Amino acid sequence: MQPKIRSIGILTSGGDAPGLNAVIRSVVKTAIIQYGWDVFGIVDGFEGLVGEPRIKPLTLDSVSGLLPRGGSVLGCTNRGHFKLDPASEPGPITAFQQAAATIARLELEAVIMVGGDGSHRIARELIRLGVPLVGVPKTIDNDLAGTDSTFGFDTAVSFATEAIDRLHTTAESHGRVMVVEVMGRDAGWIALYGGLAGGADVILIPEIPYVMEKAAAKIVARVEAGKRFSIVVTAEGALPFGSVSGAPDAFGGRTGAIRRTVNVAHDVAAELEEMTGRESRAVVLGHLQRGGSPTASDRVLATSYGAAAVKAVADGQMGHMVAWCAGRIELVPIGDGVSTARLVPADHPLIATARGLGISFAGVSD
């Protein structure tokens, strides 16, 4: 028999994403209306459990109007005491122990954690320490394993698409190559979807190490066909072929790359200008992709996740993450959600669609 639930906590961890407030609203409304529980918000993610607890009661009135609001009213933290994973790296675990003790002292029967890969690794360690916890997946990169979709992704893609649409007109007016950098350190989902939706001519993603000569050839071919401009969309983690180590991957590149790079768009623009002789400009969308009001799709997904997380608590399904799988909400062990990054597969239908439209990924096989 499951213990009677009286009060639960909720926190938002890691980077912000459109839809966090929709999850908070859904959790509070479902917990209060359906189950009669008290809900407490933990401020600034897991950091709110270190030292003097930073919590505040959440009521139906306090979540009114949150559905369309971006960011998180509880605050997010992706730097601090919990940046190491004690399960795999040496380091202090006092913060984890303190957080577990704080949750027990506050008499929270469960904690709903909304976060991405790193946050779920923290959650996994707290579960090992006995914390009753349910996870909700969040990342605009859409690269969290265990779920087909994360909220924030659709909003990021929609913004990227709008930005690319705007750049088409200025690129055409000046006859320029515009290189647009979107987020995606390890996975190219935003670049793939945004590039396809925005009518890009070249898309560079981490999963397909690029050959700059291939991208340049695409641009030159467009010029010869009478096209004055080109649009290149690159993920922030895109890397040139040959700069990685490890075994060959499905795209003919190499696995084991250091994914984090800087000034990708500027480097690509400079190289393309030199190779093609076409004036090139770089635009980095950066954190603009994280801000603003969530799209309708992200609001629905975030709301569904919040309600499902509360039900998981009510059913005693601690240690799980809610997930969107094959068109429905399911529960997966939190460990499954952080087992590996969810990357764009070689046989993804959008890869074939894009290539069929003449879009180049500048890979070895393009």
Side-chain angles (χ1 to χ4, degrees), residues 145-214:
T147 181
D148 294 341
S149 184
T150 55
F151 66 86
F153 171 68
D154 186 69
T155 304
V157 169
S158 296
F159 176 81
T161 302
E162 180 182 351
I164 295 167
D165 288 346
R166 290 172 178 267
L167 289 170
H168 268 276
T169 57
T170 184
E172 185 175 13
S173 296
H174 292 274
R176 288 172 174 162
V177 176
M178 301 298 295
V179 182
V180 186
E181 181 182 315
V182 299
M183 285 187 167
R185 182 183 60 195
D186 299 306
W189 294 107
I190 296 177
L192 176 60
Y193 274 72
L196 191 58
D201 304 297
V202 179
I203 299 174
L204 306 179
I205 61 177
E207 296 87 346
I208 307 179
Y210 62 83
V211 178
M212 190 58 70
E213 289 80 4
K214 297 271 190 176

Side-chain angles (χ1 to χ4, degrees), residues 54-76:
R54 299 191 297 279
I55 66 169
K56 59 182 180 181
L58 297 175
T59 65
L60 296 179
D61 286 342
S62 66
V63 299
S64 178
L66 289 189
L67 187 59
R69 185 170 168 181
S72 170
V73 294
L74 295 178
C76 301

Side-chain angles (χ1 to χ4, degrees), residues 10-32:
I10 179 173
L11 62 86
T12 53
S13 178
D16 64 310
L20 284 171
N21 283 323
V23 177
I24 295 170
R25 170 183 177 270
S26 179
V27 166
V28 171
K29 295 193 72 170
T30 304
I32 293 176

Side-chain angles (χ1 to χ4, degrees), residues 338-364:
V338 296
S339 57
T340 184
R342 179 176 175 269
L343 306 179
V344 179
D347 60 350
H348 195 280
L350 288 187
I351 297 287
T353 296
R355 284 180 168 145
L357 294 172
I359 299 173
S360 173
F361 290 89
V364 173

